[in-house]
Amino acid sequence: MNVEQIRMWISIGSVLIQTGTATVSQFQAVLALLHPGMAESDLNAILAAIRDDARRRIELAKFDQVQALADADA
Amino acid sequence: MTRHSSIRRRLAAALATAAVLAACASVPLKQKATLGIQAAHAAVGAAQDAERALYATRGAGITPQVHGAFGAFFERYFTAEERVAVALLAWRAADPVPPDVATAIAALDEALVAADALTAGAARDSLVGRIAAGIAEVRKVRAALGGAR
């Protein structure tokens, strides 16, 4: 939830609670339903990208170690 | 507006704020861990790029020996990070935190701490900042997962 969304929900929640339309726990339950977080498939896509980039960076680090040895000998 | 209705309005706003903040705090753990590791990856990846650029110009006193030591550190860190990503991928968000995830994140934290010896010297401030940012993110993930067990 970004700042604008938080402000909007606080305004809506204030009205609902003040008018007695909803209790705090009911409002919280609605929020949880509307903002369940990211989909697991999205999280897995991020993780797969991290895994792949980590593999690329491991190869770079190995290359750098070999290059450092060669430079030290030169 | 009466004093009573003003107080009531303020109270409703405070209760709504509390409800919104509580909803934010209940972001699923897998999401917290994934976004934390993503932030650490970005920070340490930037440190690796910066170190390679410094070595190319022989800046910040990075000798071949120091560059080799950084290479060993980054290899260790990204190997640990790859294991974390694989463990998180295998974790179904609805399940409790698997021991593999916690173990992999602890290893990632240890790998980052090993960078301390490499980042001494004011000229390496940019590397220190990036690696410190990585440590902070990994610690947040550890704390979030630790609190869930």
Side-chain angles (χ1 to χ4, degrees):
Chain A
M1 233 188 286
N2 62 35
V3 175
E4 282 308 309
Q5 285 174 316
I6 289 172
R7 280 195 190 130
M8 183 191 75
W9 282 113
I10 289 171
S11 305
I12 292 170
S14 297
V15 173
L16 292 176
I17 293 164
Q18 195 188 359
T19 57
T21 311
T23 63
V24 175
S25 57
Q26 283 170 338
F27 175 53
Q28 209 167 305
V30 170
L31 274 179
L33 282 174
L34 290 170
H35 295 279
M38 294 170 73
E40 190 159 13
S41 56
D42 291 340
L43 296 178
N44 287 343
I46 292 171
L47 290 167
I50 292 172
R51 178 198 58 200
D52 295 346
D53 196 56
R55 283 177 185 162
R56 182 183 69 83
R57 287 186 175 281
I58 290 166
E59 293 309 312
L60 271 182
K62 284 179 180 169
F63 171 82
D64 285 351
Q65 289 173 77
V66 173
Q67 189 192 31
L69 281 176
D71 289 349
D73 287 342
Chain B
M1 185 193 309
T2 65
R3 184 180 165 80
H4 181 74
S5 69
S6 170
I7 291 170
R8 195 175 158 184
R9 195 162 292 178
R10 281 169 196 230
L11 185 62
L15 290 171
T17 304
V20 171
L21 291 178
C24 290
S26 66
V27 173
L29 274 179
K30 181 170 175 175
Q31 183 171 320
K32 266 189 188 169
T34 300
L35 298 181
I37 295 304
Q38 187 184 33
H41 178 78
V44 182
Q48 186 185 33
D49 293 341
E51 191 277 333
R52 299 184 90 233
L54 282 172
Y55 181 66
T57 59
R58 299 296 189 271
I62 297 183
T63 60
Q65 287 78 11
V66 173
H67 183 54
F70 266 112
F73 158 68
F74 286 122
E75 182 185 351
R76 181 179 169 189
Y77 173 80
F78 286 113
T79 300
E81 197 189 66
E82 185 191 352
R83 286 187 189 133
V84 170
V86 169
L88 285 172
L89 270 167
W91 174 22
R92 290 186 314 157
D95 294 343
V97 182
D100 283 1
V101 169
T103 306
I105 288 174
L108 192 62
D109 195 352
E110 286 159 21
L112 274 170
V113 171
D116 279 354
L118 296 171
T119 49
R124 295 180 201 161
D125 278 355
S126 65
L127 301 180
V128 175
R130 286 168 177 137
I131 292 170
I135 292 173
E137 292 301 331
V138 170
R139 292 271 159 88
K140 276 190 228 166
V141 172
R142 273 190 92 174
L145 296 183
R149 275 178 291 158

